[in-house]
PDB file of all heavy atoms in Angstrom:
ATOM      1  N   LEU A 961      28.576  -5.404  -0.967  1.00 82.00           N
ATOM      2  CA  LEU A 961      27.194  -5.713  -0.619  1.00 82.00           C
ATOM      3  C   LEU A 961      26.250  -4.561  -0.916  1.00 82.00           C
ATOM      4  O   LEU A 961      25.078  -4.765  -1.239  1.00 82.00           O
ATOM      5  CB  LEU A 961      27.108  -6.082   0.870  1.00 82.00           C
ATOM      6  CG  LEU A 961      25.733  -6.512   1.400  1.00 82.00           C
ATOM      7  CD1 LEU A 961      25.294  -7.811   0.743  1.00 82.00           C
ATOM      8  CD2 LEU A 961      25.765  -6.659   2.912  1.00 82.00           C
ATOM      9  N   LEU A 962      26.760  -3.327  -0.835  1.00 86.00           N
ATOM     10  CA  LEU A 962      25.885  -2.157  -0.934  1.00 86.00           C
ATOM     11  C   LEU A 962      26.031  -1.409  -2.251  1.00 86.00           C
ATOM     12  O   LEU A 962      25.636  -0.249  -2.355  1.00 86.00           O
ATOM     13  CB  LEU A 962      26.162  -1.198   0.237  1.00 86.00           C
ATOM     14  CG  LEU A 962      25.877  -1.770   1.628  1.00 86.00           C
ATOM     15  CD1 LEU A 962      26.238  -0.758   2.703  1.00 86.00           C
ATOM     16  CD2 LEU A 962      24.417  -2.184   1.764  1.00 86.00           C
ATOM     17  N   TYR A1002      20.618  -0.673  11.125  1.00 96.00           N
ATOM     18  CA  TYR A1002      20.650  -2.076  10.707  1.00 96.00           C
ATOM     19  C   TYR A1002      19.538  -2.838  11.426  1.00 96.00           C
ATOM     20  O   TYR A1002      18.937  -2.337  12.387  1.00 96.00           O
ATOM     21  CB  TYR A1002      22.020  -2.703  11.010  1.00 96.00           C
ATOM     22  CG  TYR A1002      22.340  -2.755  12.487  1.00 96.00           C
ATOM     23  CD1 TYR A1002      21.998  -3.862  13.261  1.00 96.00           C
ATOM     24  CD2 TYR A1002      22.963  -1.687  13.133  1.00 96.00           C
ATOM     25  CE1 TYR A1002      22.248  -3.902  14.616  1.00 96.00           C
ATOM     26  CE2 TYR A1002      23.233  -1.721  14.480  1.00 96.00           C
ATOM     27  CZ  TYR A1002      22.880  -2.833  15.221  1.00 96.00           C
ATOM     28  OH  TYR A1002      23.129  -2.867  16.563  1.00 96.00           O
ATOM     29  N   LEU A1003      19.267  -4.042  10.966  1.00 96.00           N
ATOM     30  CA  LEU A1003      18.216  -4.869  11.551  1.00 96.00           C
ATOM     31  C   LEU A1003      18.814  -5.948  12.449  1.00 96.00           C
ATOM     32  O   LEU A1003      19.993  -6.287  12.341  1.00 96.00           O
ATOM     33  CB  LEU A1003      17.383  -5.521  10.450  1.00 96.00           C
ATOM     34  CG  LEU A1003      16.712  -4.573   9.459  1.00 96.00           C
ATOM     35  CD1 LEU A1003      15.977  -5.372   8.394  1.00 96.00           C
ATOM     36  CD2 LEU A1003      15.755  -3.634  10.183  1.00 96.00           C
ATOM     37  N   THR A1004      18.010  -6.483  13.333  1.00 97.00           N
ATOM     38  CA  THR A1004      18.412  -7.615  14.170  1.00 97.00           C
ATOM     39  C   THR A1004      17.344  -8.698  14.027  1.00 97.00           C
ATOM     40  O   THR A1004      16.188  -8.492  14.390  1.00 97.00           O
ATOM     41  CB  THR A1004      18.545  -7.202  15.647  1.00 97.00           C
ATOM     42  OG1 THR A1004      17.392  -6.450  16.036  1.00 97.00           O
ATOM     43  CG2 THR A1004      19.766  -6.339  15.864  1.00 97.00           C
ATOM     44  N   CYS A1005      17.756  -9.840  13.477  1.00 96.00           N
ATOM     45  CA  CYS A1005      16.763 -10.879  13.175  1.00 96.00           C
ATOM     46  C   CYS A1005      16.410 -11.737  14.380  1.00 96.00           C
ATOM     47  O   CYS A1005      15.375 -12.406  14.395  1.00 96.00           O
ATOM     48  CB  CYS A1005      17.284 -11.775  12.048  1.00 96.00           C
ATOM     49  SG  CYS A1005      18.632 -12.888  12.523  1.00 96.00           S
ATOM     50  N   CYS A1019      24.605  -9.288  13.741  1.00 97.00           N
ATOM     51  CA  CYS A1019      23.530 -10.006  13.055  1.00 97.00           C
ATOM     52  C   CYS A1019      23.860 -10.179  11.572  1.00 97.00           C
ATOM     53  O   CYS A1019      24.166  -9.205  10.865  1.00 97.00           O
ATOM     54  CB  CYS A1019      22.215  -9.238  13.201  1.00 97.00           C
ATOM     55  SG  CYS A1019      20.815  -9.987  12.312  1.00 97.00           S
ATOM     56  N   VAL A1020      23.805 -11.416  11.097  1.00 96.00           N
ATOM     57  CA  VAL A1020      24.181 -11.690   9.708  1.00 96.00           C
ATOM     58  C   VAL A1020      23.144 -11.144   8.730  1.00 96.00           C
ATOM     59  O   VAL A1020      23.414 -11.031   7.522  1.00 96.00           O
ATOM     60  CB  VAL A1020      24.398 -13.199   9.470  1.00 96.00           C
ATOM     61  CG1 VAL A1020      25.508 -13.729  10.344  1.00 96.00           C
ATOM     62  CG2 VAL A1020      23.110 -13.981   9.714  1.00 96.00           C
ATOM     63  N   ASN A1021      21.976 -10.802   9.228  1.00 96.00           N
ATOM     64  CA  ASN A1021      20.922 -10.247   8.388  1.00 96.00           C
ATOM     65  C   ASN A1021      20.745  -8.743   8.593  1.00 96.00           C
ATOM     66  O   ASN A1021      19.742  -8.167   8.177  1.00 96.00           O
ATOM     67  CB  ASN A1021      19.602 -10.966   8.668  1.00 96.00           C
ATOM     68  CG  ASN A1021      19.688 -12.447   8.360  1.00 96.00           C
ATOM     69  OD1 ASN A1021      20.047 -12.842   7.256  1.00 96.00           O
ATOM     70  ND2 ASN A1021      19.376 -13.290   9.340  1.00 96.00           N
ATOM     71  N   GLY A1022      21.735  -8.119   9.226  1.00 95.00           N
ATOM     72  CA  GLY A1022      21.615  -6.709   9.574  1.00 95.00           C
ATOM     73  C   GLY A1022      21.395  -5.783   8.396  1.00 95.00           C
ATOM     74  O   GLY A1022      20.716  -4.771   8.513  1.00 95.00           O
ATOM     75  N   LEU A1023      21.970  -6.130   7.239  1.00 93.00           N
ATOM     76  CA  LEU A1023      21.838  -5.276   6.057  1.00 93.00           C
ATOM     77  C   LEU A1023      20.925  -5.896   5.011  1.00 93.00           C
ATOM     78  O   LEU A1023      20.975  -5.528   3.830  1.00 93.00           O
ATOM     79  CB  LEU A1023      23.226  -5.011   5.454  1.00 93.00           C
ATOM     80  CG  LEU A1023      24.253  -4.378   6.389  1.00 93.00           C
ATOM     81  CD1 LEU A1023      25.560  -4.136   5.646  1.00 93.00           C
ATOM     82  CD2 LEU A1023      23.744  -3.081   6.994  1.00 93.00           C
ATOM     83  N   SER A1024      20.080  -6.818   5.441  1.00 94.00           N
ATOM     84  CA  SER A1024      19.239  -7.557   4.488  1.00 94.00           C
ATOM     85  C   SER A1024      18.288  -6.663   3.714  1.00 94.00           C
ATOM     86  O   SER A1024      17.918  -6.973   2.575  1.00 94.00           O
ATOM     87  CB  SER A1024      18.443  -8.645   5.226  1.00 94.00           C
ATOM     88  OG  SER A1024      17.610  -8.072   6.217  1.00 94.00           O
ATOM     89  N   GLU A1025      17.881  -5.550   4.287  1.00 94.00           N
ATOM     90  CA  GLU A1025      17.021  -4.606   3.580  1.00 94.00           C
ATOM     91  C   GLU A1025      17.812  -3.495   2.920  1.00 94.00           C
ATOM     92  O   GLU A1025      17.536  -3.103   1.788  1.00 94.00           O
ATOM     93  CB  GLU A1025      15.984  -4.015   4.540  1.00 94.00           C
ATOM     94  CG  GLU A1025      14.869  -4.968   4.921  1.00 94.00           C
ATOM     95  CD  GLU A1025      13.968  -5.336   3.740  1.00 94.00           C
ATOM     96  OE1 GLU A1025      13.973  -4.596   2.735  1.00 94.00           O
ATOM     97  OE2 GLU A1025      13.273  -6.352   3.820  1.00 94.00           O
ATOM     98  N   TRP A1026      18.814  -2.997   3.615  1.00 91.00           N
ATOM     99  CA  TRP A1026      19.583  -1.866   3.110  1.00 91.00           C
ATOM    100  C   TRP A1026      20.252  -2.188   1.775  1.00 91.00           C
ATOM    101  O   TRP A1026      20.453  -1.314   0.932  1.00 91.00           O
ATOM    102  CB  TRP A1026      20.628  -1.467   4.153  1.00 91.00           C
ATOM    103  CG  TRP A1026      21.325  -0.162   3.873  1.00 91.00           C
ATOM    104  CD1 TRP A1026      20.998   0.772   2.945  1.00 91.00           C
ATOM    105  CD2 TRP A1026      22.470   0.342   4.558  1.00 91.00           C
ATOM    106  NE1 TRP A1026      21.870   1.843   3.003  1.00 91.00           N
ATOM    107  CE2 TRP A1026      22.787   1.602   3.986  1.00 91.00           C
ATOM    108  CE3 TRP A1026      23.250  -0.129   5.604  1.00 91.00           C
ATOM    109  CZ2 TRP A1026      23.861   2.369   4.433  1.00 91.00           C
ATOM    110  CZ3 TRP A1026      24.317   0.641   6.042  1.00 91.00           C
ATOM    111  CH2 TRP A1026      24.616   1.871   5.459  1.00 91.00           C
ATOM    112  N   LYS A1027      20.597  -3.440   1.531  1.00 92.00           N
ATOM    113  CA  LYS A1027      21.350  -3.807   0.329  1.00 92.00           C
ATOM    114  C   LYS A1027      20.528  -3.708  -0.953  1.00 92.00           C
ATOM    115  O   LYS A1027      21.072  -3.732  -2.052  1.00 92.00           O
ATOM    116  CB  LYS A1027      21.913  -5.221   0.466  1.00 92.00           C
ATOM    117  CG  LYS A1027      20.839  -6.306   0.488  1.00 92.00           C
ATOM    118  CD  LYS A1027      21.460  -7.685   0.678  1.00 92.00           C
ATOM    119  CE  LYS A1027      20.396  -8.774   0.684  1.00 92.00           C
ATOM    120  NZ  LYS A1027      20.987 -10.112   0.911  1.00 92.00           N
ATOM    121  N   HIS A1028      19.197  -3.607  -0.843  1.00 94.00           N
ATOM    122  CA  HIS A1028      18.361  -3.567  -2.041  1.00 94.00           C
ATOM    123  C   HIS A1028      18.451  -2.211  -2.755  1.00 94.00           C
ATOM    124  O   HIS A1028      18.657  -1.171  -2.135  1.00 94.00           O
ATOM    125  CB  HIS A1028      16.897  -3.826  -1.676  1.00 94.00           C
ATOM    126  CG  HIS A1028      16.637  -5.228  -1.230  1.00 94.00           C
ATOM    127  ND1 HIS A1028      16.836  -6.317  -2.035  1.00 94.00           N
ATOM    128  CD2 HIS A1028      16.181  -5.711  -0.047  1.00 94.00           C
ATOM    129  CE1 HIS A1028      16.515  -7.420  -1.376  1.00 94.00           C
ATOM    130  NE2 HIS A1028      16.123  -7.070  -0.169  1.00 94.00           N
ATOM    131  N   ARG A1037      14.921   3.012   2.112  1.00 97.00           N
ATOM    132  CA  ARG A1037      15.675   2.286   3.138  1.00 97.00           C
ATOM    133  C   ARG A1037      16.913   3.029   3.602  1.00 97.00           C
ATOM    134  O   ARG A1037      17.641   2.536   4.471  1.00 97.00           O
ATOM    135  CB  ARG A1037      16.112   0.928   2.590  1.00 97.00           C
ATOM    136  CG  ARG A1037      14.994  -0.009   2.203  1.00 97.00           C
ATOM    137  CD  ARG A1037      15.603  -1.243   1.550  1.00 97.00           C
ATOM    138  NE  ARG A1037      14.595  -2.239   1.235  1.00 97.00           N
ATOM    139  CZ  ARG A1037      13.872  -2.247   0.119  1.00 97.00           C
ATOM    140  NH1 ARG A1037      14.041  -1.275  -0.776  1.00 97.00           N
ATOM    141  NH2 ARG A1037      12.979  -3.192  -0.100  1.00 97.00           N
ATOM    142  N   PHE A1047      11.304  -0.593   9.335  1.00 97.00           N
ATOM    143  CA  PHE A1047      10.700  -1.916   9.254  1.00 97.00           C
ATOM    144  C   PHE A1047      10.241  -2.393  10.633  1.00 97.00           C
ATOM    145  O   PHE A1047      10.779  -1.954  11.659  1.00 97.00           O
ATOM    146  CB  PHE A1047      11.698  -2.914   8.658  1.00 97.00           C
ATOM    147  CG  PHE A1047      11.956  -2.698   7.201  1.00 97.00           C
ATOM    148  CD1 PHE A1047      12.956  -1.825   6.789  1.00 97.00           C
ATOM    149  CD2 PHE A1047      11.191  -3.342   6.245  1.00 97.00           C
ATOM    150  CE1 PHE A1047      13.187  -1.604   5.440  1.00 97.00           C
ATOM    151  CE2 PHE A1047      11.408  -3.131   4.896  1.00 97.00           C
ATOM    152  CZ  PHE A1047      12.412  -2.258   4.495  1.00 97.00           C
ATOM    153  N   ARG A1215      29.565  -1.996  14.435  1.00 95.00           N
ATOM    154  CA  ARG A1215      28.245  -1.517  14.892  1.00 95.00           C
ATOM    155  C   ARG A1215      28.176  -1.428  16.417  1.00 95.00           C
ATOM    156  O   ARG A1215      29.163  -1.093  17.074  1.00 95.00           O
ATOM    157  CB  ARG A1215      27.130  -2.413  14.338  1.00 95.00           C
ATOM    158  CG  ARG A1215      27.156  -2.584  12.825  1.00 95.00           C
ATOM    159  CD  ARG A1215      25.901  -3.316  12.338  1.00 95.00           C
ATOM    160  NE  ARG A1215      26.071  -3.795  10.979  1.00 95.00           N
ATOM    161  CZ  ARG A1215      25.968  -5.059  10.599  1.00 95.00           C
ATOM    162  NH1 ARG A1215      25.659  -5.994  11.500  1.00 95.00           N
ATOM    163  NH2 ARG A1215      26.155  -5.407   9.364  1.00 95.00           N
TER     164      ARG A1215
END
Side-chain angles (χ1 to χ4, degrees):
L961 183 65
L962 297 178
Y1002 64 91
L1003 302 177
T1004 47
C1005 72
C1019 177
V1020 299
N1021 299 305
L1023 303 182
S1024 60
E1025 286 294 341
W1026 191 11
K1027 67 182 181 182
H1028 291 298
R1037 298 174 176 85
F1047 289 88
R1215 306 188 195 122

